[in-house]
C-alpha cells in the first residue's frame, strides 16, 4: 500500500512538472466581467423560506453551482444602505471609508449631509436635485477603483441601481458611470461627475417609458395567493398601506395610486425588473466583457428595501417581490450566458443589511420587543441638559440613534466635553425605555472594544461624522415606523437580524460548496482582489475568503 502511494506521488510529480513546462510559469487568467449584485434588505432566511417557490434558474442555479457563505455578517453599525454598499466594495468599515450612515451631521462643515449629495456636480438626464450626486464623500478606494488603477483605466466600471447611493458607492470614485432612477421624470439619470450627456443607449432605454407600462396595471400576486403559505395572511395590522389605499392587500391598484410622478415603481417589484433590464441594456450599450480586460458591473436591486420597509419580512408582498426577483436573476444569468459566455463571468450576490420582524407582531406573540420614540428622546435630553448644565442648546441633533452635541457651545461655557457626554449617556441608559447601552465619542476614542456589539459601534465610528453619544436599543426594538407608527419594519442595529446577509459566489473559478464559518462583509473586496490578481482597496480591513481563492 505504502509503496503504491509513493509511486503515485512520484507519478503525479512527473505529470505536473510536464504540465508546468507546457504552460507559462504563472497562468494569469481573468474573467471577462465581474457582476456584483446587492439585494437591498435581503435576509438570508428568505432563500430557505421561499426555496420551494423559486424557479430552477435564479437563486437555485446560483446556490447549486456556486459557493454559499452562509454566515456572512456586517461587523459594524449602523447597518444602512449607504454604509452597506460602501463596506462591500471598500473592504473596510465606516471608521475608514467615511460612509457612517445615509445622512449624518458633518462637524467640519457644520451641516447635515446625505452620503452621496454633491452640490458641485450637475444632474445629467433628469430632475436637477435628483442628479446632484457623486462619491465625493467616500474616503477609501473600492475594489472597482482598484480594477481601474490596475488596468490604467482600460477596464469599464458601471454602477446601476434605483437608489443613487446604491449605484454610486459600489462603482467608486474612478467609475466610468453610475446610473440611478429619477422618479420625477421616470428616467435613468447620472451626474456630471461621470459625464456631460447620457449615452445613446440610455436615452433609448428611457424612451421606452417602462415606468408608464409598469404603473398602468395593478400589482397582483405572481402565483395564486393561496400558495403564499410561507407568509402571514394578506390583510394584517403589521403592514402599512400605499398612500391612498384602505388596506394593505392585493391587488394593489397602481394606476390609481401612482399620482403624478413615476416614483411608485420603486416601491413595487417592477422596480427590480426595470433595474435588471437597465443592467442588461448597459452590458450591450457599454460592450461590457467583450475584450481581454475585465469589466465590472455593480447592480443593486433596491425595490426589495422599499417593499420590505412598508410590509415587513412576513408579508405576501415581500414574498412576491422575491419570487419576481428570482425570475429577474434568472433572466440576467441567461443574458450573461448569451453575451459573455458560461464560466466567463464572475458573480457575487449579497445584501447591504437585513431587517427585523415587525416589533408589534413580536409583542403579540409574547416576545420582547418595543418601539423607541425619537421625538420624546430628543425632548428629554434637552430638558436634562437644561436642568443639569444650564442650556438645552448643547443638543444639536438626533440621527441614526446618535446624539450630536454642540462642541463649540460646550467649550465656550468651559465645560468638559467628555463629562457632558458621559452624563447624557448615563441618563439615557437609566431613563429611556429600551436603551440597554450607550457609548460616547470619548469612550470610543480612548478604549478599544472587543465585545461583539460595542466593537461594532467602534468600527462604525468616525469622529468628524458620527454623533457624540451612540445608543443601543435592546434586540427587537426600533424607532416609530410607517403608517400608525407600528407598521412595516426597519434596520440599522448590530443584531443578527440586521447584520446577517446572504453571500453567494458563482461562475468563473468559483468552487461549488458552502461554509458556516463567520465571514465579514469586508472580506468580499479582498477576495475579489485575490481572484482578479489586483490591488486590495487602500483602507481594507477584511481578509480574503480562502475557501474561494484556493
Ligand atoms: Zn432600508
Amino acid at each position: 500500500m505504502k509503496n503504491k502511494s509513493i509511486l503515485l506521488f512520484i507519478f503525479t510529480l512527473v505529470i505536473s512538472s510536464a504540465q508546468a513546462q507546457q504552460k507559462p510559469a504563472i497562468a494569469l487568467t481573468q474573467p471577462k466581467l465581474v457582476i456584483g449584485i446587492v439585494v437591498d434588505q435581503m435576509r438570508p432566511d428568505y432563500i430557505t423560506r421561499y426555496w420551494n417557490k423559486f424557479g430552477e434558474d435564479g437563486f437555485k442555479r446560483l446556490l447549486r453551482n456556486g459557493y454559499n457563505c452562509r454566515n456572512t455578517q456586517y461587523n459594524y453599525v449602523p447597518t444602512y444602505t449607504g454604509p452597506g454598499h460602501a463596506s462591500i466594495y471598500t473592504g473596510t468599515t465606516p471608521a475608514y471609508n467615511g460612509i457612517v450612515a445615509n445622512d449624518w451631521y458633518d462637524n467640519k462643515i457644520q451641516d447635515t449631509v446625505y452620503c452621496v449629495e454633491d452640490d458641485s456636480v450637475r444632474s445629467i438626464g433628469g430632475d436637477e436635485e435628483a442628479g446632484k450626486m457623486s462619491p465625493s464623500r467616500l474616503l477609501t478606494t473600492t475594489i472597482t477603483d482598484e480594477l481601474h488603477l490596475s488596468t490604467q483605466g482600460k477596464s469599464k466600471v458601471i454602477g446601476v441601481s434605483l437608489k443613487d447611493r446604491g449605484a454610486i458607492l459600489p462603482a467608486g470614485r474612478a467609475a466610468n458611470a453610475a446610473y440611478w432612477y429619477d422618479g420625477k421624470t421616470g428616467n435613468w439619470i447620472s451626474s456630471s461627475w461621470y459625464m456631460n450627456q447620457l449615452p445613446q443607449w440610455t436615452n433609448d432605454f428611457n424612451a421606452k417609458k417602462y415606468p408608464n407600462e409598469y404603473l398602468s396595471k395593478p400589482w397582483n400576486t405572481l402565483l395564486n395567493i393561496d400558495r403564499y403559505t410561507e407568509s402571514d395572511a394578506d390583510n394584517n395590522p403589521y403592514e402599512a398601506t400605499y398612500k391612498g389605499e384602505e388596506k394593505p392587500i392585493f391587488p394593489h391598484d397602481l394606476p390609481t395610486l401612482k399620482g403624478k410622478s413615476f416614483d411608485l415603481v420603486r416601491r413595487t417589484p417592477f422596480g427590480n425588473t426595470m433595474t435588471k433590464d437597465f443592467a442588461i441594456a448597459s452590458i450591450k450599450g457599454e460592450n461590457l466583457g467583450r475584450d481581454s480586460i475585465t469589466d465590472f458591473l455593480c447592480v443593486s436591486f433596491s425595490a426589495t428595501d422599499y417593499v420590505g420597509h412598508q410590509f415587513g419580512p412576513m408579508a405576501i408582498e415581500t414574498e412576491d417581490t422575491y419570487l419576481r426577483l428570482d425570475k429577474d436573476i434568472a433572466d440576467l444569468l441567461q443574458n450573461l450566458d448569451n453575451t459573455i459566455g458560461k464560466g466567463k463571468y464572475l458573480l457575487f450576490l449579497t445584501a447591504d443589511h437585513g431587517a427585523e420582524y415587525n416589533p408589534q407582531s413580536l409583542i403579540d406573540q409574547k416576545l420582547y420587543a418595543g418601539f423607541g420614540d425619537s421625538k420624546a428622546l430628543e425632548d428629554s435630553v434637552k430638558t436634562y441638559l437644561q436642568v443639569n448644565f444650564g442650556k438645552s442648546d448643547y443638543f444639536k441633533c438626533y440621527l441614526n440613534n446618535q446624539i450630536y452635541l454642540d462642541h463649540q457651545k460646550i467649550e465656550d461655557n468651559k465645560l468638559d466635553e467628555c463629562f457632558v457626554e458621559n452624563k447624557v449617556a448615563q441618563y439615557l441608559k437609566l431613563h429611556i425605555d429600551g436603551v440597554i447601552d450607550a457609548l460616547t465619542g470619548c469612550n470610543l476614542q480612548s478604549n478599544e472594544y472587543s465585545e461583539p456589539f460595542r466593537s461594532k459601534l467602534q468600527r462604525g465610528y468616525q469622529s468628524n461624522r458620527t454623533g457624540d453619544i451612540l445608543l443601543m436599543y435592546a434586540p427587537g426594538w426600533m424607532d416609530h415606523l410607517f403608517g400608525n407608527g407600528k407598521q412595516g419594519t426597519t434596520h440599522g442595529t448590530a443584531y443578527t437580524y440586521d447584520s446577517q446577509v446572504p453571500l453567494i459566489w458563482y461562475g468563473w473559478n468559483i468552487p461549488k460548496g458552502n461554509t458556516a464559518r463567520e465571514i465579514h462583509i469586508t472580506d468580499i473586496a479582498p477576495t475579489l482582489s485575490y481572484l482578479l490578481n489586483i490591488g486590495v482597496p487602500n483602507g481594507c480591513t477584511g481578509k480574503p475568503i480562502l475557501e474561494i481563492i484556493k
Side-chain angles (χ1 to χ4, degrees):
M1 254 339 246
K2 211 176 175 191
N3 282 346
K4 251 189 186 173
S5 8
I6 292 170
L7 270 180
L8 186 68
F9 176 68
I10 294 171
F11 178 73
T12 315
L13 268 187
V14 170
I15 291 289
S16 38
S17 61
Q19 279 172 343
Q21 277 162 11
Q22 284 160 15
K23 281 185 190 170
I26 312 168
L28 290 183
T29 60
Q30 298 282 333
K32 295 275 187 193
L33 180 64
V34 184
I35 302 101
I37 298 179
V38 180
V39 182
D40 204 317
Q41 206 189 108
M42 183 171 179
R43 294 166 53 114
D45 61 347
Y46 289 153
I47 293 171
T48 37
R49 259 178 66 206
Y50 305 148
W51 183 262
N52 291 333
K53 303 286 156 67
F54 284 144
E56 292 302 309
D57 306 321
F59 285 109
K60 281 185 181 173
R61 177 175 167 190
L62 295 179
L63 282 155
R64 284 184 173 142
N65 302 291
Y67 197 91
N68 187 7
C69 299
R70 291 155 56 208
N71 185 12
T72 302
Q73 301 280 343
Y74 276 82
N75 53 348
Y76 64 84
V77 273
T79 40
Y80 294 145
T81 291
H85 283 82
S87 65
I88 292 166
Y89 283 87
T90 60
T92 190
T93 62
Y96 301 103
N97 67 38
I99 307 299
V100 299
N102 292 331
D103 304 90
W104 65 82
Y105 184 86
D106 190 314
N107 281 309
K108 275 191 183 158
I109 59 169
Q110 307 243 321
D111 205 357
T112 305
V113 297
Y114 171 57
C115 59
V116 292
E117 76 174 55
D118 185 348
D119 278 342
S120 72
V121 300
R122 285 176 296 112
S123 174
I124 303 295
D127 174 68
E128 191 47 43
E129 285 310 303
K132 291 165 91 69
M133 303 290 165
S134 86
S136 66
R137 289 188 171 81
L138 186 60
L139 305 181
T140 61
T141 62
T142 53
I143 184 64
T144 39
D145 286 335
E146 293 295 334
L147 181 63
H148 169 94
L149 290 170
S150 73
T151 60
Q152 301 92 42
K154 293 192 196 93
S155 59
K156 272 198 173 178
V157 174
I158 307 284
V160 169
S161 169
L162 291 172
K163 292 184 181 176
D164 42 30
R165 58 191 183 277
I168 289 169
L169 297 169
R173 296 178 66 114
N176 296 77
Y179 299 99
W180 55 96
Y181 180 64
D182 168 25
K184 263 193 193 165
T185 59
N187 284 342
W188 286 79
I189 68 171
S190 190
S191 85
S192 59
W193 178 278
Y194 308 98
M195 63 188 75
N196 288 315
Q197 59 181 47
L198 292 179
Q200 193 52 46
W201 68 264
T202 309
N203 288 327
D204 294 345
F205 188 91
N206 285 334
K208 290 182 181 153
K209 306 255 177 234
Y210 287 115
N212 257 341
E213 192 184 315
Y214 291 130
L215 295 175
S216 69
K217 47 190 182 287
W219 172 16
N220 247 313
T221 48
L222 186 67
L223 311 175
N224 188 305
I225 197 158
D226 300 335
R227 294 192 57 205
Y228 290 69
T229 48
E230 300 78 8
S231 300
D232 287 345
D234 193 23
N235 191 16
N236 72 65
Y238 312 120
E239 301 175 10
T241 57
Y242 286 110
K243 200 166 166 256
E245 236 180 7
E246 293 275 307
K247 288 177 183 168
I249 56 169
F250 285 99
H252 294 286
D253 189 10
L254 306 180
T256 57
L257 298 170
K258 73 178 166 80
K260 288 199 180 82
S261 85
F262 301 96
D263 208 53
L264 188 61
V265 181
R266 67 170 81 234
R267 295 168 200 289
T268 73
F270 311 114
N272 283 340
T273 304
M274 185 169 63
T275 305
K276 177 263 299 177
D277 286 334
F278 190 83
I280 287 173
S282 79
I283 295 169
K284 185 157 184 268
E286 300 286 344
N287 284 315
L288 298 181
R290 298 301 162 80
D291 57 21
S292 58
I293 297 159
T294 304
D295 296 324
F296 207 127
L297 176 63
C298 317
V299 186
S300 189
F301 289 107
S302 320
T304 39
D305 184 66
Y306 295 107
V307 172
H309 275 291
Q310 184 173 336
F311 297 98
M314 295 309 292
I316 293 178
E317 282 81 355
T318 301
E319 180 170 356
D320 195 63
T321 299
Y322 278 91
L323 299 190
R324 289 172 187 274
L325 177 64
D326 182 53
K327 283 179 160 308
D328 288 331
I329 288 172
D331 248 23
L332 181 60
L333 292 174
Q334 185 62 55
N335 182 272
L336 290 164
D337 289 350
N338 297 343
T339 56
I340 314 294
K342 263 190 187 170
K344 292 183 178 158
Y345 58 91
L346 164 63
L347 182 149
F348 68 91
L349 181 147
T350 188
D352 53 351
H353 53 75
E356 168 61 317
Y357 296 114
N358 173 276
Q360 191 58 50
S361 75
L362 296 178
I363 293 166
D364 292 348
Q365 293 171 82
K366 298 185 184 171
L367 296 161
Y368 182 65
F371 293 95
D373 181 340
S374 49
K375 182 73 182 74
L377 184 142
E378 221 178 290
D379 290 345
S380 71
V381 172
K382 281 184 193 161
T383 308
Y384 176 81
L385 289 167
Q386 179 73 49
V387 171
N388 292 276
F389 297 101
K391 275 198 164 82
S392 64
D393 62 357
Y394 294 144
F395 175 96
K396 201 162 236 170
C397 58
Y398 179 59
L399 266 175
N400 312 314
N401 289 340
Q402 299 160 11
I403 291 164
Y404 289 76
L405 296 175
D406 192 321
H407 301 184
Q408 195 56 51
K409 285 200 174 110
I410 290 172
E411 204 184 308
D412 290 349
N413 284 282
K414 311 224 174 330
L415 287 168
D416 178 53
E417 166 97 37
C418 291
F419 181 74
V420 179
E421 285 180 13
N422 280 325
K423 291 301 264 184
V424 174
Q426 215 46 43
Y427 168 77
L428 292 165
K429 282 191 273 189
L430 284 172
H431 292 98
I432 301 294
D433 275 355
V435 171
I436 55 163
D437 200 7
L439 288 187
T440 67
C442 292
N443 292 154
L444 291 165
Q445 289 183 63
S446 52
N447 298 301
E448 202 177 315
Y449 294 99
S450 56
E451 187 271 339
F453 299 126
R454 287 183 154 191
S455 63
K456 286 189 176 185
L457 287 173
Q458 193 147 41
R459 288 189 209 98
Y461 176 82
Q462 192 174 89
S463 61
N464 283 324
R465 297 181 174 188
T466 306
D468 303 298
I469 299 125
L470 291 72
L471 298 187
M472 263 184 61
Y473 277 104
W477 278 67
M478 58 181 71
D479 268 337
H480 274 187
L481 298 167
F482 271 89
N484 65 4
K486 295 184 174 183
Q487 291 168 325
T489 191
T490 193
H491 50 85
T493 74
Y495 304 121
T496 313
Y497 49 80
D498 287 339
S499 70
Q500 191 174 12
V501 287
L503 174 59
I504 309 162
W505 299 82
Y506 173 86
W508 180 85
N509 273 8
I510 298 298
K512 272 189 205 180
N514 74 83
T515 179
R517 182 173 72 78
E518 181 171 335
I519 282 165
H520 295 146
I521 201 70
T522 48
D523 297 340
I524 296 173
T527 302
L528 287 165
S529 295
Y530 280 85
L531 284 169
L532 301 176
N533 293 300
I534 62 171
V536 172
N538 62 14
C540 182
T541 53
K543 296 187 182 84
I545 304 166
L546 299 179
E547 294 92 328
I548 306 269
I549 62 168
K550 69 189 171 191

